[in-house]
Amino acid sequence: MDNMIKAIFSASPTNMTMAQALQWDYNPSLISIPVFFVSSMGNGDENLVVSGTQLQEIFDAVPDTVTKVMARRTDAEHGDMLSVADGYMTAWRECHFHLLFLYLSL
């Protein structure tokens, strides 16, 4: 089966400038499948990993033809994003799993 990855969930992605400095370059304009970006509004994200403005830049770089969602979690820090965003990640995965299952069942 080609294109095995059907959707992406990105918890607190590294901002583009920091990613380049760390040689972790990535290009969100190449994303062609549904993507959900989430980050915290805590100091770790806001002042280091990915601020709201930086997350918006990443989001905006994804083509408008791609289903994309962005959210920021209040009352959380960068290190909390895998656990506090778990419900969103699970719902995103389940939504796309069920859509794929429905498509394959037709």
Side-chain angles (χ1 to χ4, degrees):
M1 176 183 238
D2 60 335
N3 300 325
M4 299 267 311
I5 298 173
K6 300 298 181 188
I8 301 168
F9 183 88
S10 181
S12 295
T14 305
N15 73 69
M16 303 295 282
T17 303
M18 179 185 284
Q20 185 176 25
L22 294 169
Q23 298 181 348
W24 296 348
D25 292 337
Y26 63 96
N27 185 348
S29 72
L30 299 177
I31 295 173
S32 60
I33 59 176
V35 59
F36 188 149
F37 296 106
V38 64
S39 72
S40 78
M41 295 177 74
N43 289 328
D45 271 338
E46 193 59 35
N47 297 315
L48 179 62
V49 180
V50 64
S51 68
T53 301
Q54 292 164 330
L55 188 64
Q56 185 70 52
E57 290 170 359
I58 296 166
F59 179 87
D60 290 343
V62 176
D64 290 336
T65 56
V66 174
T67 300
K68 54 186 179 175
V69 177
M70 180 181 78
R72 302 212 47 230
R73 177 70 188 238
T74 59
D75 300 325
E77 281 294 336
H78 173 73
D80 300 326
M81 291 315 297
L82 289 179
S83 60
V84 300
D86 181 56
Y88 303 107
M89 179 173 43
T90 301
W92 183 252
R93 184 202 66 207
E94 287 297 308
C95 172
H96 290 283
F97 173 78
H98 289 295
L99 289 173
L100 174 63
F101 183 75
L102 178 64
Y103 173 77
L104 293 175
S105 297
L106 294 177

